[in-house]
Amino acid sequence: MSTAVVTAAATPAATLPRAAVRLRAGEDWLTVCDLDRLVPGRGVAALLPDGRQAAVFLDRAGRLHAVDNRDPFTGAAVLSRGLLGSRAGQPFVASPLLKQRFDLVTGVCLDDETVRLTTYEVRAA
Amino acid sequence: MPTPTTGSAALSHGTVPTIVLVGHGMVGQRFLEALAERGLTATHRVVVLCEEPRPAYDRVHLTSYFSGTTPDELSMTDLEFIEKHGIELHLGDPAGSVDREARTVTARSGLTVAYDTLVLATGSYPFVPPVPGKDADGCFVYRTIEDLLAIEEWAKARATTGAVVGGGLLGLEAAGALKGLGLDAHIVEFAPRLMPVQVDDGGGAALLRTIEQMGLTVHTGAGTQEVLTGDDGAVTGMKLSNGAELAVDLVIFSAGVRPRDQLARDCGLQVGERGGIAVDEQCRTVGDERVFAIGECALAADGRVYGLVAPGYEMAQTAAAAIASDEAAAFTGADLSTKLKLLGVDVASFGDAHGAAEGCLDVVYSDSRAGLYKKLVVGRDGTLLGGILVGDAEAYGTLRALTGSVPPVSPESLVLPAGAAGGGAQLGPSALPDEAIICSCHNVTKGAIRGAVTDHRCVTVPEVKKCTKAGTGCGSCVKVLGQLVEAELEASGIEVDKGLCGCFAQTREELYEIVLALRVTSYRELLDRHGREEARGGDGCEICKPSVANMLATLAPAIGADAHVLDGEQAALQDTNDHFLANLQKNGSYSVVPRIPGGEIAPEKLIVIGEIARDFGLYTKITGGQRIDMFGARVEQLPRIWARLVDAGFESGHAYGKSLRTVKSCVGQTWCRYGVQDSVRMAIDLELRYRGLRSPHKLKSAVSGCARECAEAQSKDFGVIATANGWNLCVGGNGGATPRHADLLAQDLSDAELVRLIDRFLMFYIRTADRLERTSVWLDRIPGGLDHVRDVVVHDSLGICDELERLMAAHVAHYRDEWAAVLADPEKLERFVSFVNAPETPDPMVAFVPERGQIKPDLPLLQIGTRQMEGTATR
Ligand code: SRM
Ligand SMILES: Cc1cc2nc3c(=O)[nH]c(=O)nc-3n(C[C@H](O)[C@H](O)[C@H](O)COP(=O)(O)OP(=O)(O)OC[C@H]3O[C@@H](n4cnc5c(N)ncnc54)[C@H](O)[C@@H]3O)c2cc1C
Ligand code: SF4
Ligand code: FES
């Protein structure tokens, strides 16, 4: 017997109209996915038209955040796989590789202020 | 160079009392400082008679002159200090006689000074054996800067080979110096071994080897009979008592020192049988309360003459205290610890190095091939009394500091080299000296870490990390760092927050109890109800999320939580690797490790792994855990790879989880001629029983078929070794950065007894350990240690064994393969994509280059990426 592999393409069909997650890429707003694809606290990676990557997060309060997906400390494009947390109400993501934390609003690294991530405007519409 | 102060005429015993110090050596200078500290220089006239042409200097580091330290740099005398305190210092003018009746001292220059208090600090002179030719040109002693200047001049002008008479501490230093001057050097020692005072025969043997390897020639058990001279009266050779003749053109006598007590003898003061000015505990000479003797010239109240500087300093302070009428200070004896400064040789002895105390025992480790010798002298009650270290004196600081107390680990483990079978324990961080390097990545010392807390006011580990950089490299020091910071905070009276993180004030153990007792099944619930006030309603943090996820996974069957680690909310709590049930690699790709229980694998399965790796282009490697790792998988490939693995009967190997990793096995009784039990079967049984069990840190195990221990069970969290009668269970072993040898928990167990004991042990550990605390660290930390754990899990002293067994039974019953479950769940599978908006587009940063017929990550690509990244960040 063979185990079936269900890929993302086979996502169950939507029954309700959904909100879409949109990211500002230059002048345009890029639709990256449906809002309900996001689990609060867990990120996804989105590919931008210019080849850059964004890590998109939904926090517990329902706010969306997007920063560059590349971990500046290692060069790997993995920040979307980091853990989200908050400190004094400020959301941050911890890199899954060497655990540096980045403020999701400003992009500033909380463990080394000289390092900053690009942040992207993101909204649900 | 200071100019001598011209002394005023001898003052009669007038209104200002006079203190006369004879000898301005190391101890004399310390005495002057002690006088100043007590304000006595303000109330007294202080006159110093100094024989040498220069004020006090650091005799202990004399030899560093040959490595470039100048005489001025060796100086210990701050002339401003001398001036400020009005001290009259007469250089190059030794005291010639003392009239105790008249209370005057007369110097060689004729200067006479009346004293109210006389302090003798005349030090020692090098003993030169009365052999013919001892005064020939080219013969030297090794005591003063002037001696060294003369040796250097002679060596440079006309010597190629030198001999040092005396193989003690100073003799070795002198021989090292000769070598440094480019001479061939011989050491002639009368005793049968080198450093006879400090080390014993075993230590001498190890030392000998190292010294010889440095190119020095050693003659032990040989006396010097005669120094041979040539026509010009200069040294040409040396005749030894064993008949040998050495052709040498320079001789240094370093055959011990004798107290310089002549001045005292001449004025009728009492001296010891073998020399030394007899003093009481206040350092007053016996019979004349106006005269004191301190330093190497004194025969202390305990009947000893101390040839080291530290006891001399103590005497200096005692005498100053006595002069200030503070009789509380007393010098009653000191410790003779020493560490050889000779480059390239580690020799240290401390405390009662020769085991003179009654009933004491020796613990000795000796490896003469490696030039290693370590001996500890231990009292009946386990108190560390002293020891000798040759070849590796790393532990000197810690051990010396521990002398007089019972060390926290067995003395055997203190002498064994780290990592040796049966020991090699490192002492806890509190036992370490300040100069100990805690973080080797950034070279941060214990002192610097303590300073971060005390001086820079860091109150958390992250703050200390930021301040010192410690722990920001490989991370292997973080545990010790935490312990140090905690200890330092406690010591400075700052209340230590033992909470798990900024979100929870409870420890991991307390949270575990809450989750179990209140059947809390979600992280949010736990945070909002039991979290710190300020953290409730928030997003938590990267510390508590995986930790709670781990607990929820362990307790899922008992509390009725969603059982899969990627179910619902749990999916958002998982750390790096659990996130995709694979191990994240440096370029963002993943490694895949199927379980191979006990390391046993049939050829068909090997072929499947080979085919999968080939088809997906993965790098393969046999791991240290007896299984196969496939590296370089992209996120979106993971489900397809696992579909094939699951099809072939493989399961998740949990290489990514804080959970059971491998149970290694040796081939055991079935094949091996020595095996006494079926170790492979037991290893497979144990691996299948505990697979998938989430725990505070990873768990490793091994089963060996006999005492030869080919599976290395004693380095595992729980290790099993076959005996003729069953199984021995040992626990708390660890490899890694701080290896720990496992402790025997129980012996000769039946299969059922073994499994039951492991069930209890693991569940007790899971319940009480800290986050990321291996069993080894846990065992050393929990009060009562191994004995307590044995009481709990063997004798059921807490009455919880039933519950522990029940929890384990629930785990075993509810186990299912995590990967098979993911493959069957479209919602979970949906997350295994590279990009949410381009699911099958590979991440361009994950690229590979060939190496040795396989692939490796293209790291330069990542670096280019990093630079671009920085560019965009500043925009
Ligand atoms: C793959 C492997 C090396 C290999 O090529 O052989 C390996 C690889 C890693 N080890 Fe290991 N260890 C591997 C065997 C070992 C062993 C040997 C053994 O298990 O017998 C040890 C020493 C034994 C022990 O753990 O006591 C070992 C001691 C460590 C440590 C130090 C643990 C400690 O208590 O000090 C770490 C760091 C940690 O866990 O905090 C570590 C951490 C790691 C991590 C997980 C580091 C990381 O987070 O990326 C590595 C990633 C694995 C991956 O990506 O697949 N690895 N590691 C081995 C996998 C074994 C397996 O089949 O599961
Ligand atoms: C090469 C070397 C290495 C050493 N290494 C170590 C070590 O590692 N650890 C350790 O603890 N110890 C070591 N020592 C020993 C240490 O130097 C002595 O214990 C220490 O110097 C003793 O101090 P002191 O003041 O009693 O004697 P000294 O430093 O010898 O000072 C006595 C002074 O008194 C002067 N003097 C003598 N008679 C008269 C007089 N009649 N009038 C005026 N002045 C007089 C002398 O010239 C001398 O300057 C070492 C010694 C040497 C030579
Ligand atoms: S531990 Fe004993 S039984 Fe196992 S392989 Fe080694 S010698 Fe053989
Ligand atoms: S030793 Fe401290 S980070 Fe590596």
Side-chain angles (χ1 to χ4, degrees):
Chain A
M1 198 202 83
S2 149
T3 308
V5 179
V6 191
T7 63
T11 304
T15 46
L16 288 169
R18 308 159 169 197
V21 176
R22 290 160 171 278
L23 192 91
R24 180 165 187 142
E27 296 300 295
D28 308 320
W29 284 87
L30 175 79
T31 301
V32 288
C33 63
D34 289 339
L35 184 58
D36 64 6
R37 274 295 295 270
L38 296 181
V39 178
R42 194 179 157 136
V44 296
L47 190 60
L48 306 188
D50 63 358
R52 286 194 289 166
Q53 303 182 20
V56 185
F57 300 91
L58 180 65
D59 70 17
R60 219 185 129 178
R63 287 171 301 187
L64 287 165
H65 307 277
V67 293
D68 201 288
N69 193 30
R70 235 172 254 160
D71 173 12
F73 291 94
T74 59
V78 293
L79 290 184
S80 64
R81 307 173 209 166
L83 275 168
L84 193 136
S86 65
R87 208 179 52 164
Q90 282 291 97
F92 65 82
V93 63
S95 166
L97 276 170
L98 300 178
K99 310 289 172 190
Q100 289 89 353
R101 296 161 306 156
F102 300 90
D103 186 306
L104 283 176
V105 175
T106 61
V108 171
C109 176
L110 299 175
D111 301 291
D112 181 350
E113 281 122 31
T114 61
V115 179
R116 223 189 103 211
L117 299 176
T118 306
T119 57
Y120 295 92
E121 276 182 73
V122 60
R123 66 176 191 218
Chain B
M1 186 85 348
T3 42
T5 315
T6 356
S8 47
L11 206 101
S12 58
H13 300 105
T15 43
V16 183
T18 304
I19 299 170
V20 175
L21 170 67
V22 179
H24 190 223
M26 297 180 78
V27 174
Q29 171 61 19
R30 183 70 195 91
F31 171 74
L32 294 177
E33 287 162 18
L35 286 183
E37 283 157 19
R38 292 180 174 270
L40 292 170
T41 43
T43 52
H44 291 66
R45 174 182 178 217
V46 180
V47 181
V48 184
L49 296 179
C50 174
E51 178 185 53
E52 291 188 62
R54 57 186 87 237
Y57 55 88
D58 184 356
R59 204 177 303 288
V60 169
H61 290 102
L62 199 59
T63 304
S64 70
Y65 169 75
F66 290 117
S67 51
T69 310
T70 65
D72 277 353
E73 283 163 354
L74 282 172
S75 174
M76 299 177 68
T77 316
D78 176 2
L79 288 177
E80 236 173 73
F81 166 87
I82 299 288
E83 247 164 61
K84 180 171 157 213
H85 294 284
I87 296 168
E88 296 166 35
L89 178 60
H90 300 269
L91 294 177
D93 195 9
S97 62
V98 174
D99 183 340
R100 290 200 290 132
E101 202 98 325
R103 282 194 269 130
T104 56
V105 184
T106 303
R108 196 167 57 193
S109 65
L111 168 80
T112 298
V113 191
Y115 67 82
D116 294 277
T117 304
L118 174 64
V119 178
L120 302 174
T122 49
S124 307
Y125 65 91
F127 169 68
V128 178
V131 294
K134 69 180 169 58
D135 296 320
D137 286 344
C139 286
F140 301 92
V141 292
Y142 200 82
R143 178 85 197 169
T144 65
I145 289 183
E146 273 52 45
D147 291 336
L148 263 55
L149 295 175
I151 291 170
E152 183 180 43
E153 195 184 319
W154 185 266
K156 285 194 171 146
R158 48 187 299 178
T160 54
T161 309
V164 175
V165 178
L169 188 86
L170 292 190
L172 292 182
E173 268 198 51
L178 287 185
K179 193 134 193 302
L181 285 169
L183 271 60
D184 286 333
H186 294 267
I187 300 169
V188 181
E189 169 57 52
F190 188 68
R193 59 169 188 267
L194 293 171
M195 284 183 76
V197 181
Q198 287 87 3
V199 310
D200 55 13
D201 284 337
L207 183 58
L208 176 64
R209 209 182 143 76
T210 317
I211 297 282
E212 284 181 338
Q213 270 169 0
M214 292 171 63
L216 300 163
T217 314
V218 180
H219 312 263
T220 48
T224 306
Q225 218 157 46
E226 191 183 342
V227 175
L228 308 170
T229 50
D231 296 341
D232 61 351
V235 176
T236 56
M238 209 158 86
K239 209 160 149 188
L240 305 188
S241 58
N242 61 10
E245 256 192 51
L246 308 176
V248 298
D249 32 32
L250 189 156
V251 174
I252 296 177
F253 287 102
S254 179
V257 294
R258 300 284 185 273
R260 287 189 73 173
D261 53 14
Q262 196 58 44
L263 197 63
R265 285 173 195 266
D266 291 349
C267 67
L269 283 169
Q270 191 180 318
V271 294
E273 224 170 88
R274 281 158 53 216
I277 307 165
V279 296
D280 64 13
E281 292 191 352
Q282 269 68 46
C283 297
R284 270 197 188 86
T285 56
V286 174
D288 191 337
E289 59 168 21
R290 288 183 180 273
V291 184
F292 291 76
I294 56 178
E296 286 193 336
C297 65
L299 173 66
D302 66 349
R304 283 156 80 175
V305 173
Y306 287 91
L308 295 172
V309 72
Y313 282 174
E314 222 179 296
M315 289 188 226
Q317 270 165 300
T318 305
I323 294 167
S325 306
D326 167 5
E327 300 290 318
F331 180 83
T332 54
D335 153 53
L336 292 173
S337 306
T338 33
K339 195 170 173 191
L340 189 63
K341 300 176 298 294
L342 189 63
L343 205 77
V345 197
D346 264 356
V347 182
S349 78
F350 57 97
D352 180 4
H354 289 277
E358 206 175 309
C360 65
L361 307 162
D362 280 356
V363 179
V364 178
Y365 173 83
S366 163
D367 176 353
S368 43
R369 220 159 40 102
L372 273 180
Y373 177 84
K374 297 184 192 181
K375 177 174 99 171
L376 297 184
V377 179
V378 183
R380 280 241 178 83
D381 59 351
T383 308
L384 179 62
L385 298 176
I388 295 168
L389 306 172
V390 178
D392 172 12
E394 273 279 315
Y396 172 71
T398 318
L399 290 175
R400 204 195 130 158
L402 281 171
T403 304
S405 63
V406 179
V409 299
S410 76
E412 291 77 15
S413 57
L414 289 175
V415 294
L416 283 170
Q426 322 265 288
L427 286 173
S430 58
L432 296 169
D434 267 355
E435 53 278 8
I437 304 280
I438 301 298
C439 175
S440 23
C441 289
H442 293 290
N443 230 345
V444 184
T445 61
K446 173 175 170 181
I449 290 166
R450 296 181 49 198
V453 175
T454 50
D455 305 340
H456 299 274
R457 312 210 165 278
C458 300
V459 294
T460 63
V461 173
E463 281 171 25
V464 173
K465 277 183 167 179
K466 205 166 170 184
C467 175
T468 62
K469 288 191 107 156
T472 59
C474 72
S476 65
C477 62
V478 172
K479 192 84 208 173
V480 183
L481 184 68
Q483 289 167 342
L484 271 179
V485 171
E486 193 170 304
E488 202 51 42
L489 286 171
E490 245 159 30
S492 14
I494 298 168
E495 209 186 315
V496 184
D497 191 336
K498 295 238 166 72
L500 181 65
C501 61
C503 309
F504 288 99
Q506 298 88 345
T507 61
R508 179 192 170 277
E509 182 180 353
E510 288 162 346
L511 286 177
Y512 180 97
E513 296 296 339
I514 292 173
V515 168
L516 182 60
L518 303 180
R519 299 172 70 90
V520 180
T521 57
S522 101
Y523 171 78
R524 278 192 191 191
E525 187 188 338
L526 193 66
L527 181 65
D528 292 353
R529 295 248 296 270
H530 304 278
R532 294 181 199 262
E533 208 61 61
E534 62 275 20
R536 295 187 183 181
D539 281 279
C541 77
E542 79 284 11
I543 294 169
C544 58
K545 277 179 154 180
S547 202
V548 171
N550 181 283
M551 259 177 242
L552 292 176
T554 316
L555 292 174
I559 59 176
D562 284 340
H564 198 280
V565 292
L566 296 185
D567 269 343
E569 176 206 42
Q570 283 225 43
L573 306 177
Q574 305 299 341
D575 211 347
T576 309
N577 291 341
D578 296 85
H579 206 81
F580 285 117
L581 306 183
N583 293 51
L584 180 61
Q585 305 299 315
K586 62 205 304 177
N587 65 344
S589 67
Y590 285 86
S591 80
V592 173
V593 190
R595 187 167 297 290
I596 300 179
E600 185 186 81
I601 183 163
E604 292 75 39
K605 283 193 158 179
L606 271 177
I607 290 167
V608 169
I609 291 184
E611 285 173 348
I612 293 174
R614 182 198 57 208
D615 295 351
F616 287 88
L618 306 175
Y619 166 81
T620 54
K621 179 180 180 301
I622 309 291
T623 71
Q626 293 189 348
R627 49 188 185 174
I628 301 168
D629 204 341
M630 291 173 271
F631 295 81
R634 302 171 196 279
V635 189
E636 68 276 15
Q637 291 177 320
L638 289 172
R640 287 195 291 272
I641 292 171
W642 272 103
R644 285 181 57 180
L645 286 169
V646 168
D647 253 2
F650 285 104
E651 294 182 345
S652 165
H654 291 101
Y656 47 80
K658 296 291 174 250
S659 54
L660 181 81
R661 293 286 164 89
T662 60
V663 181
K664 304 211 282 189
S665 73
C666 76
V667 67
Q669 191 186 35
T670 321
W671 294 88
C672 177
R673 62 195 160 132
Y674 294 117
V676 292
Q677 304 285 348
D678 188 350
S679 46
V680 176
R681 178 193 52 80
M682 181 53 80
I684 294 172
D685 286 355
L686 293 179
E687 184 154 346
L688 295 181
R689 182 169 183 80
Y690 303 118
R691 65 188 159 179
L693 178 68
R694 291 291 201 285
S695 46
H697 206 316
K698 58 192 173 195
L699 287 169
K700 298 182 177 184
S701 178
V703 183
S704 281
C706 83
R708 283 165 194 76
E709 246 283 70
C710 298
E712 301 167 306
Q714 290 166 101
S715 66
K716 298 297 173 214
D717 296 277
F718 59 105
V720 180
I721 301 168
T723 68
N725 306 318
W727 307 99
N728 283 356
L729 172 61
C730 54
V731 295
N734 208 149
T738 312
R740 184 182 188 279
H741 200 261
D743 290 315
L744 187 63
L745 185 68
Q747 275 168 290
D748 292 331
L749 303 164
S750 68
D751 285 13
E753 286 169 336
L754 174 69
V755 168
R756 195 171 60 186
L757 212 51
I758 299 175
D759 281 2
R760 294 172 174 185
F761 172 78
L762 290 181
M763 274 300 170
F764 185 53
Y765 159 69
I766 290 172
R767 179 179 199 141
T768 54
D770 232 333
R771 149 184 182 271
L772 299 185
E773 187 175 47
R774 288 291 288 269
T775 56
S776 54
V777 183
W778 168 76
L779 203 56
D780 286 337
R781 175 186 59 85
I782 56 166
L786 178 70
D787 289 340
H788 173 64
V789 171
R790 189 182 283 118
D791 278 347
V792 174
V793 303
V794 180
H795 308 303
D796 199 9
S797 62
L798 298 180
I800 56 170
C801 284
D802 275 352
E803 188 188 351
L804 298 176
E805 285 176 35
R806 242 193 346 266
L807 286 169
M808 189 61 87
H811 161 77
V812 175
H814 282 79
Y815 167 82
R816 52 192 172 125
D817 176 26
E818 272 164 15
W819 261 108
V822 167
L823 296 175
D825 182 344
E827 211 180 302
K828 293 194 181 80
L829 277 176
E830 199 180 39
R831 303 199 193 108
F832 287 83
V833 294
S834 51
F835 300 105
V836 70
N837 58 344
E840 287 294 321
T841 306
D843 173 1
M845 299 308 288
V846 178
F848 304 94
V849 291
E851 185 172 68
R852 292 189 296 277
Q854 298 201 65
I855 56 158
K856 69 170 183 184
D858 183 354
L859 293 180
L861 177 74
L862 295 184
Q863 271 156 28
I864 296 163
T866 315
R867 260 181 268 126
Q868 279 174 356
M869 172 66 227
E870 277 160 8
T872 52
T874 48
R875 235 193 265 154

